[in-house]
Amino acid sequence: DIQMTQSPSSLSASVGDRVTITCRASQSISSYLNWYQQKPGKAPKLLIYAASSLQSGVPSRFSGSGSGTDFTLTISSLQPEDFATYYCQQSYSSLVTFGQGTKVEIK
Amino acid sequence: QLQLQESGPGLVKPSETLSLTCTVSGGSISSSSYYWGWIRQPPGKGLEWIGSIYYSGSTYYNPSLKSRVTISVDTSKNQFSLKLSSVTAADTAVYYCARRGGATHDAFDIWGQGTMVTVSS
């Protein structure tokens, strides 16, 4: 299995802050890395696919980068509606794996 | 637009089989561009992929659950289903169905709302 490790597991930030979340794969996954946002009681929502492609309808303050084993999700200016949990997921293998999640909380 | 909806019992007894169905509306499950998957989330925990199926019936399962999982597809009803046998309290979770593939580099781009399943006697 390909293991996905996110860091940090949680962070506190203020509205307007720049936030970066990291995801590392246990082996190279090229650019087959996706990011999701999940709010309490809701299904996950796809934000970024193929490491850096913004899903339709997602605000441009979200961006993704990386390839191989190291990836980042950046929120350029945190908004109140961005407080949520974020997950990375590799789709390189038919055997899908998710990171453990990063909870973004209000400072 | 395409929508997915999970259905099935919300309460299952230990050692029994959990059965859920995902109904796809607004599009065909037989599209060659997509896989269809099940993902679960125990209360307060992260996402765990259970398995995926192609409309032709090809399946991929999480190795940690493989011995207990069966995913099947019914193209005539535009549905796919999950069966998880010999359940325990550890299988208590919100179960989501989702679409994978297409233009989003095999990401899960459309999700159902999720259904809570509790394993308890």
Side-chain angles (χ1 to χ4, degrees):
Chain A
D1 298 9
I2 300 174
Q3 306 302 317
M4 307 301 295
T5 304
Q6 284 182 238
S7 61
S9 55
S10 65
L11 64 90
S12 296
S14 301
V15 172
D17 283 354
R18 182 181 182 88
V19 169
T20 299
I21 299 168
T22 298
C23 181
R24 175 165 288 176
S26 60
Q27 66 180 73
S28 177
I29 57 171
S30 184
S31 62
Y32 285 84
L33 190 283
N34 312 303
W35 290 98
Y36 301 85
Q37 176 194 66
Q38 187 180 33
K39 296 182 179 179
K42 300 294 187 182
K45 171 187 173 183
L46 178 64
L47 296 178
I48 302 281
Y49 63 92
S52 61
S53 295
L54 198 65
Q55 174 67 337
S56 176
V58 174
S60 59
R61 62 181 179 272
F62 291 93
S63 64
S65 64
S67 66
T69 60
D70 294 317
F71 302 86
T72 59
L73 172 70
T74 299
I75 309 172
S76 60
S77 178
L78 198 65
Q79 298 302 300
E81 60 268 31
D82 301 336
F83 292 95
T85 301
Y86 295 84
Y87 294 93
C88 63
Q89 173 245 327
Q90 64 81 15
S91 52
Y92 178 83
S93 168
S94 296
L95 305 184
V96 170
T97 44
F98 288 90
Q100 79 278 20
T102 296
K103 186 173 184 179
V104 177
E105 299 176 299
I106 301 172
K107 182 182 283 186
Chain B
Q1 84 228 32
L2 192 99
Q3 293 185 316
L4 283 70
Q5 179 68 56
E6 306 90 349
S7 60
L11 181 64
V12 181
K13 289 183 168 57
S15 79
E16 295 189 344
T17 296
L18 178 160
S19 296
L20 296 174
T21 295
C22 182
T23 300
V24 179
S25 59
S28 174
I29 201 171
S30 298
S31 170
S32 60
S33 299
Y34 301 104
Y35 278 82
W36 306 91
W38 288 98
I39 300 102
R40 71 180 183 178
Q41 185 171 38
K45 297 189 178 181
L47 301 168
E48 179 180 35
W49 172 73
I50 300 170
S52 298
I53 190 165
Y54 195 52
Y55 78 97
S56 63
S58 299
T59 52
Y60 300 91
Y61 297 137
N62 185 326
S64 69
L65 298 169
K66 187 174 184 177
S67 63
R68 299 194 291 130
V69 172
T70 302
I71 297 176
S72 59
V73 64
D74 187 336
T75 55
S76 67
K77 295 182 178 179
N78 230 29
Q79 296 175 334
F80 63 106
S81 298
L82 168 71
K83 291 189 185 298
L84 181 66
S85 64
S86 305
V87 297
T88 69
D91 296 309
T92 293
V94 176
Y95 286 76
Y96 296 100
C97 59
R99 185 182 81 169
R100 177 188 176 193
T104 59
H105 222 47
D106 283 349
F108 290 105
D109 63 342
I110 299 177
W111 295 65
Q113 65 184 25
T115 188
M116 180 69 199
V117 179
T118 301
V119 178
S120 175
S121 55

